[in-house]
mmCIF file of all heavy atoms in Angstrom:
data_model
loop_
_atom_site.group_PDB
_atom_site.id
_atom_site.type_symbol
_atom_site.label_atom_id
_atom_site.label_comp_id
_atom_site.label_asym_id
_atom_site.label_seq_id
_atom_site.Cartn_x
_atom_site.Cartn_y
_atom_site.Cartn_z
ATOM 1 N N VAL A 7 -35.419 -47.735 -57.117
ATOM 2 C CA VAL A 7 -34.597 -46.724 -57.779
ATOM 3 C C VAL A 7 -35.523 -45.651 -58.308
ATOM 4 O O VAL A 7 -36.534 -45.960 -58.956
ATOM 5 C CB VAL A 7 -33.778 -47.325 -58.943
ATOM 6 C CG1 VAL A 7 -32.961 -46.240 -59.631
ATOM 7 C CG2 VAL A 7 -32.890 -48.452 -58.459
ATOM 8 N N LEU A 8 -35.193 -44.389 -58.041
ATOM 9 C CA LEU A 8 -36.015 -43.274 -58.504
ATOM 10 C C LEU A 8 -35.126 -42.079 -58.784
ATOM 11 O O LEU A 8 -34.214 -41.775 -58.015
ATOM 12 C CB LEU A 8 -37.063 -42.912 -57.442
ATOM 13 C CG LEU A 8 -38.108 -41.892 -57.857
ATOM 14 C CD1 LEU A 8 -39.031 -42.472 -58.938
ATOM 15 C CD2 LEU A 8 -38.929 -41.459 -56.651
ATOM 16 N N ALA A 9 -35.394 -41.400 -59.889
ATOM 17 C CA ALA A 9 -34.700 -40.165 -60.229
ATOM 18 C C ALA A 9 -35.688 -39.016 -60.110
ATOM 19 O O ALA A 9 -36.881 -39.182 -60.373
ATOM 20 C CB ALA A 9 -34.137 -40.234 -61.644
ATOM 21 N N GLY A 10 -35.185 -37.869 -59.718
ATOM 22 C CA GLY A 10 -36.058 -36.711 -59.607
ATOM 23 C C GLY A 10 -35.294 -35.482 -59.155
ATOM 24 O O GLY A 10 -34.058 -35.466 -59.130
ATOM 25 N N THR A 11 -36.059 -34.471 -58.778
ATOM 26 C CA THR A 11 -35.514 -33.184 -58.362
ATOM 27 C C THR A 11 -35.781 -32.969 -56.879
ATOM 28 O O THR A 11 -36.904 -33.192 -56.406
ATOM 29 C CB THR A 11 -36.170 -32.043 -59.168
ATOM 30 O OG1 THR A 11 -35.979 -32.301 -60.561
ATOM 31 C CG2 THR A 11 -35.564 -30.697 -58.819
ATOM 32 N N GLU A 32 -38.987 -35.121 -55.913
ATOM 33 C CA GLU A 32 -40.139 -35.013 -56.810
ATOM 34 C C GLU A 32 -39.776 -35.663 -58.145
ATOM 35 O O GLU A 32 -38.747 -35.339 -58.734
ATOM 36 C CB GLU A 32 -40.481 -33.542 -57.017
ATOM 37 C CG GLU A 32 -41.648 -33.297 -57.932
ATOM 38 C CD GLU A 32 -41.923 -31.814 -58.084
ATOM 39 O OE1 GLU A 32 -41.129 -31.141 -58.787
ATOM 40 O OE2 GLU A 32 -42.891 -31.337 -57.485
ATOM 41 N N HIS A 33 -40.627 -36.575 -58.594
ATOM 42 C CA HIS A 33 -40.403 -37.300 -59.841
ATOM 43 C C HIS A 33 -41.524 -36.984 -60.822
ATOM 44 O O HIS A 33 -42.705 -37.043 -60.460
ATOM 45 C CB HIS A 33 -40.373 -38.810 -59.584
ATOM 46 C CG HIS A 33 -40.383 -39.626 -60.831
ATOM 47 N ND1 HIS A 33 -39.234 -39.939 -61.524
ATOM 48 C CD2 HIS A 33 -41.401 -40.161 -61.534
ATOM 49 C CE1 HIS A 33 -39.554 -40.653 -62.587
ATOM 50 N NE2 HIS A 33 -40.863 -40.799 -62.624
ATOM 51 N N LYS A 34 -41.143 -36.655 -62.063
ATOM 52 C CA LYS A 34 -42.106 -36.438 -63.148
ATOM 53 C C LYS A 34 -41.595 -37.167 -64.384
ATOM 54 O O LYS A 34 -40.422 -37.048 -64.734
ATOM 55 C CB LYS A 34 -42.244 -34.954 -63.492
ATOM 56 C CG LYS A 34 -42.814 -34.107 -62.390
ATOM 57 C CD LYS A 34 -42.859 -32.649 -62.825
ATOM 58 C CE LYS A 34 -43.341 -31.757 -61.699
ATOM 59 N NZ LYS A 34 -43.332 -30.338 -62.089
ATOM 60 N N SER A 35 -42.477 -37.931 -65.012
ATOM 61 C CA SER A 35 -42.097 -38.620 -66.240
ATOM 62 C C SER A 35 -43.353 -39.024 -66.992
ATOM 63 O O SER A 35 -44.464 -38.717 -66.563
ATOM 64 C CB SER A 35 -41.246 -39.863 -65.933
ATOM 65 O OG SER A 35 -42.002 -40.818 -65.220
ATOM 66 N N GLN A 36 -43.138 -39.702 -68.102
ATOM 67 C CA GLN A 36 -44.239 -40.284 -68.857
ATOM 68 C C GLN A 36 -43.906 -41.749 -69.090
ATOM 69 O O GLN A 36 -42.769 -42.092 -69.400
ATOM 70 C CB GLN A 36 -44.448 -39.576 -70.195
ATOM 71 C CG GLN A 36 -44.971 -38.171 -70.041
ATOM 72 C CD GLN A 36 -45.299 -37.554 -71.390
ATOM 73 O OE1 GLN A 36 -44.602 -37.773 -72.371
ATOM 74 N NE2 GLN A 36 -46.375 -36.786 -71.430
ATOM 75 N N ARG A 37 -44.916 -42.615 -68.930
ATOM 76 C CA ARG A 37 -44.738 -44.046 -69.111
ATOM 77 C C ARG A 37 -45.932 -44.602 -69.873
ATOM 78 O O ARG A 37 -47.024 -44.065 -69.799
ATOM 79 C CB ARG A 37 -44.660 -44.760 -67.751
ATOM 80 C CG ARG A 37 -43.523 -44.331 -66.849
ATOM 81 C CD ARG A 37 -42.181 -44.670 -67.427
ATOM 82 N NE ARG A 37 -42.044 -46.085 -67.677
ATOM 83 C CZ ARG A 37 -41.126 -46.874 -67.186
ATOM 84 N NH1 ARG A 37 -40.213 -46.384 -66.379
ATOM 85 N NH2 ARG A 37 -41.082 -48.145 -67.489
ATOM 86 N N TYR A 38 -45.669 -45.689 -70.585
ATOM 87 C CA TYR A 38 -46.760 -46.374 -71.272
ATOM 88 C C TYR A 38 -47.387 -47.398 -70.329
ATOM 89 O O TYR A 38 -46.695 -48.149 -69.652
ATOM 90 C CB TYR A 38 -46.265 -47.083 -72.535
ATOM 91 C CG TYR A 38 -46.123 -46.140 -73.694
ATOM 92 C CD1 TYR A 38 -44.906 -45.564 -73.986
ATOM 93 C CD2 TYR A 38 -47.230 -45.813 -74.475
ATOM 94 C CE1 TYR A 38 -44.780 -44.675 -75.051
ATOM 95 C CE2 TYR A 38 -47.109 -44.931 -75.537
ATOM 96 C CZ TYR A 38 -45.883 -44.365 -75.818
ATOM 97 O OH TYR A 38 -45.771 -43.483 -76.857
ATOM 98 N N GLU A 39 -48.700 -47.400 -70.308
ATOM 99 C CA GLU A 39 -49.459 -48.384 -69.551
ATOM 100 C C GLU A 39 -50.675 -48.757 -70.389
ATOM 101 O O GLU A 39 -51.438 -47.879 -70.797
ATOM 102 C CB GLU A 39 -49.904 -47.813 -68.202
ATOM 103 C CG GLU A 39 -50.656 -48.796 -67.360
ATOM 104 C CD GLU A 39 -51.042 -48.219 -66.009
ATOM 105 O OE1 GLU A 39 -51.391 -47.032 -65.936
ATOM 106 O OE2 GLU A 39 -50.983 -48.980 -65.041
ATOM 107 N N MET A 42 -51.097 -46.897 -73.626
ATOM 108 C CA MET A 42 -51.432 -45.475 -73.566
ATOM 109 C C MET A 42 -50.372 -44.751 -72.744
ATOM 110 O O MET A 42 -49.928 -45.247 -71.703
ATOM 111 C CB MET A 42 -52.812 -45.267 -72.938
ATOM 112 C CG MET A 42 -53.896 -45.941 -73.750
ATOM 113 S SD MET A 42 -55.529 -45.270 -73.508
ATOM 114 C CE MET A 42 -55.337 -43.557 -73.784
ATOM 115 N N LEU A 43 -49.979 -43.581 -73.230
ATOM 116 C CA LEU A 43 -48.991 -42.782 -72.530
ATOM 117 C C LEU A 43 -49.667 -42.052 -71.373
ATOM 118 O O LEU A 43 -50.718 -41.433 -71.547
ATOM 119 C CB LEU A 43 -48.365 -41.772 -73.502
ATOM 120 C CG LEU A 43 -47.139 -41.016 -73.013
ATOM 121 C CD1 LEU A 43 -45.994 -41.987 -72.712
ATOM 122 C CD2 LEU A 43 -46.701 -40.005 -74.048
ATOM 123 N N ARG A 44 -49.076 -42.157 -70.196
ATOM 124 C CA ARG A 44 -49.648 -41.458 -69.048
ATOM 125 C C ARG A 44 -48.573 -40.647 -68.354
ATOM 126 O O ARG A 44 -47.391 -40.990 -68.385
ATOM 127 C CB ARG A 44 -50.294 -42.438 -68.072
ATOM 128 C CG ARG A 44 -49.314 -43.294 -67.313
ATOM 129 C CD ARG A 44 -49.966 -44.197 -66.316
ATOM 130 N NE ARG A 44 -50.553 -43.425 -65.245
ATOM 131 C CZ ARG A 44 -51.341 -43.916 -64.316
ATOM 132 N NH1 ARG A 44 -51.657 -45.188 -64.338
ATOM 133 N NH2 ARG A 44 -51.831 -43.170 -63.369
ATOM 134 N N ASN A 45 -48.990 -39.550 -67.763
ATOM 135 C CA ASN A 45 -48.091 -38.725 -66.961
ATOM 136 C C ASN A 45 -47.935 -39.367 -65.588
ATOM 137 O O ASN A 45 -48.914 -39.808 -64.990
ATOM 138 C CB ASN A 45 -48.640 -37.311 -66.816
ATOM 139 C CG ASN A 45 -48.614 -36.556 -68.119
ATOM 140 O OD1 ASN A 45 -47.691 -36.706 -68.909
ATOM 141 N ND2 ASN A 45 -49.621 -35.740 -68.366
ATOM 142 N N VAL A 46 -46.700 -39.415 -65.112
ATOM 143 C CA VAL A 46 -46.405 -39.998 -63.811
ATOM 144 C C VAL A 46 -45.831 -38.906 -62.926
ATOM 145 O O VAL A 46 -44.948 -38.149 -63.349
ATOM 146 C CB VAL A 46 -45.384 -41.152 -63.939
ATOM 147 C CG1 VAL A 46 -45.033 -41.720 -62.582
ATOM 148 C CG2 VAL A 46 -45.907 -42.225 -64.868
ATOM 149 N N TYR A 47 -46.345 -38.819 -61.713
ATOM 150 C CA TYR A 47 -45.860 -37.819 -60.765
ATOM 151 C C TYR A 47 -45.909 -38.413 -59.365
ATOM 152 O O TYR A 47 -46.885 -39.052 -58.982
ATOM 153 C CB TYR A 47 -46.736 -36.564 -60.807
ATOM 154 C CG TYR A 47 -46.348 -35.542 -59.761
ATOM 155 C CD1 TYR A 47 -45.287 -34.679 -59.983
ATOM 156 C CD2 TYR A 47 -47.009 -35.467 -58.555
ATOM 157 C CE1 TYR A 47 -44.911 -33.761 -59.027
ATOM 158 C CE2 TYR A 47 -46.641 -34.550 -57.593
ATOM 159 C CZ TYR A 47 -45.594 -33.699 -57.827
ATOM 160 O OH TYR A 47 -45.211 -32.794 -56.879
ATOM 161 N N CYS A 48 -44.837 -38.203 -58.610
ATOM 162 C CA CYS A 48 -44.863 -38.589 -57.203
ATOM 163 C C CYS A 48 -43.848 -37.760 -56.429
ATOM 164 O O CYS A 48 -42.928 -37.174 -57.002
ATOM 165 C CB CYS A 48 -44.601 -40.084 -57.015
ATOM 166 S SG CYS A 48 -42.942 -40.617 -57.440
ATOM 167 N N GLN A 49 -44.054 -37.711 -55.130
ATOM 168 C CA GLN A 49 -43.097 -37.127 -54.197
ATOM 169 C C GLN A 49 -42.852 -38.158 -53.113
ATOM 170 O O GLN A 49 -43.786 -38.824 -52.665
ATOM 171 C CB GLN A 49 -43.642 -35.862 -53.541
ATOM 172 C CG GLN A 49 -43.650 -34.664 -54.425
ATOM 173 C CD GLN A 49 -44.039 -33.412 -53.645
ATOM 174 O OE1 GLN A 49 -44.828 -33.467 -52.713
ATOM 175 N NE2 GLN A 49 -43.478 -32.298 -54.034
#
Side-chain angles (χ1 to χ4, degrees):
V7 179
L8 188 68
T11 304
E32 180 180 74
H33 170 86
K34 296 178 184 177
S35 65
Q36 291 186 323
R37 299 295 302 238
Y38 279 95
E39 182 178 38
M42 299 203 53
L43 191 62
R44 71 177 293 171
N45 291 323
V46 178
Y47 175 81
C48 67
Q49 285 187 327

